[in-house]
Amino acid sequence: MGVGRERARWLQHRRIYRENSQSAVGIVAVVWDGRVTSCPWGERGVGLRLGGGTGGNRGKGNKGVYRLRIGSWNVGTLTGKSIELAKILQKRRVNIAYVQETRWVGSRAKDADGYKLWYSGVQRGKNGVGILVDRELRDSVVEVRRVNDRLMTIKLVVREYTLNVVSAYAPHTGLDEEVKRCFWEGLDEIVRQVPHAEKLFIGGDFNGHIRSISGGYGEVHGGFGFGERNGVGTSLLDFAKAFGLVIANSSFPKRDEHLVTF
């Protein structure tokens, strides 16, 4: 299936999803009540505020706000790095982290210095994705679904909110078109299965550039990006547009070295 056919199908999903949707969703950070509540609390993680309640995690001075900090990282490999990674996440006060290219085999979970890591991999030394959840939220995980070595998702219940967290590792440009098609169709299926009343966060290495300006994608591109748009970047933007998502990393300025991929 070519990009043109994929785009047509996603645009159809966009119409259906928006007609039935009761809540906004976003890539990496959520659009909450019409705004991206992202990154006033740090460079590398994306901040999220959940309304309601009588207080919250790191919510001093913001009664009724529960703050989450979410980040995504292509780690290259997790072998010998899981504890080091957990310490970095603790330092950055990241609650939930998506990791890609773990290069671990299996569908397991393990403790990592206070975090719980769920991971999915098929071939040793190749691909692999994972999600880490901190000590405060790990018991809130109610479901784990490992799709393959490029996609996995977990579901958390935090107060009155149900959060769906997806870790994705897109095929790079040089791989076969069938591999790319399978990835995007798998991600498409995950998104369509999320109930409209629940919240969705997708974080990952999409191996693409979305360009430094929005260029026709103003509703999903926040105006901050990197380089020239390539085919994978266009696929990501079309996907986000079809499902009413937002590329949250593009919604605030960052250092150039943090803008290479989304």
Side-chain angles (χ1 to χ4, degrees):
M1 182 181 295
V3 171
R5 289 180 61 192
E6 287 181 355
R7 181 174 184 179
R9 177 164 54 84
W10 290 339
L11 290 176
Q12 181 182 17
H13 290 329
R14 178 192 183 193
R15 175 182 60 80
I16 295 171
Y17 198 85
R18 286 189 171 179
E19 285 176 357
N20 294 283
S21 180
Q22 300 173 9
S23 59
V25 293
I27 289 181
V28 181
V30 72
V31 176
W32 205 273
D33 296 329
R35 60 195 175 90
V36 178
T37 56
S38 58
C39 216
W41 311 301
E43 298 174 10
R44 301 197 179 191
V46 173
L48 162 69
R49 299 185 181 191
L50 304 183
T54 57
N57 179 28
R58 304 178 183 92
K60 294 180 179 179
N62 292 275
K63 186 176 181 180
V65 170
Y66 192 99
R67 293 182 177 178
L68 299 181
R69 187 176 287 185
I70 302 173
S72 182
W73 197 348
N74 183 321
V75 293
T77 179
L78 267 180
T79 301
K81 291 184 177 180
S82 59
I83 301 301
E84 178 186 3
L85 172 62
K87 291 186 181 301
I88 293 172
L89 296 178
Q90 289 171 0
K91 182 178 179 180
R92 296 284 179 179
R93 293 181 296 163
V94 174
N95 303 104
I96 300 172
Y98 318 84
V99 289
Q100 303 82 41
E101 211 169 352
T102 60
R103 303 189 184 186
W104 282 4
V105 176
S107 300
R108 300 185 179 89
K110 65 172 293 183
D111 290 326
D113 199 24
Y115 285 80
K116 188 163 185 177
L117 165 64
W118 289 267
Y119 64 93
S120 178
V122 176
Q123 183 177 338
R124 188 174 301 280
K126 184 178 179 181
N127 301 334
V129 288
I131 301 173
L132 294 98
V133 179
D134 72 3
R135 193 187 310 275
E136 296 181 34
L137 292 177
R138 56 192 291 173
D139 291 335
S140 300
V141 176
V142 296
E143 181 181 314
V144 179
R145 178 187 172 201
R146 299 170 176 90
V147 179
N148 50 42
D149 61 353
R150 292 188 178 275
L151 290 167
M152 71 170 294
T153 178
I154 66 173
K155 187 188 294 284
L156 305 89
V157 177
V158 181
R159 297 191 177 179
E160 67 268 37
Y161 299 100
T162 300
L163 315 179
N164 294 270
V165 176
V166 182
S167 183
Y169 179 42
H172 59 74
T173 304
L175 287 180
D176 185 80
E177 291 300 316
E178 178 67 14
V179 176
K180 299 175 186 177
R181 182 186 65 81
C182 289
F183 169 80
W184 287 108
E185 288 190 349
L187 186 57
D188 180 293
E189 181 181 0
I190 288 172
V191 173
R192 285 188 287 112
Q193 290 179 349
V194 175
H196 301 305
E198 298 180 5
K199 310 304 175 185
L200 171 65
F201 305 86
I202 305 172
D205 182 351
F206 287 91
N207 280 305
H209 298 298
I210 61 172
R211 199 179 179 193
S212 55
I213 58 176
S214 59
Y217 292 94
E219 66 267 56
V220 301
H221 191 310
F224 298 95
F226 180 86
E228 295 298 320
R229 185 175 301 153
N230 61 12
V232 180
T234 300
S235 293
L236 177 59
L237 288 163
D238 284 338
F239 186 87
K241 192 172 183 178
F243 286 104
L245 307 175
V246 61
I247 312 295
N249 276 14
S250 69
S251 299
F252 49 86
K254 299 197 300 180
R255 298 174 185 173
D256 287 347
E257 61 267 29
H258 296 160
L259 288 171
V260 176
T261 60
F262 293 87

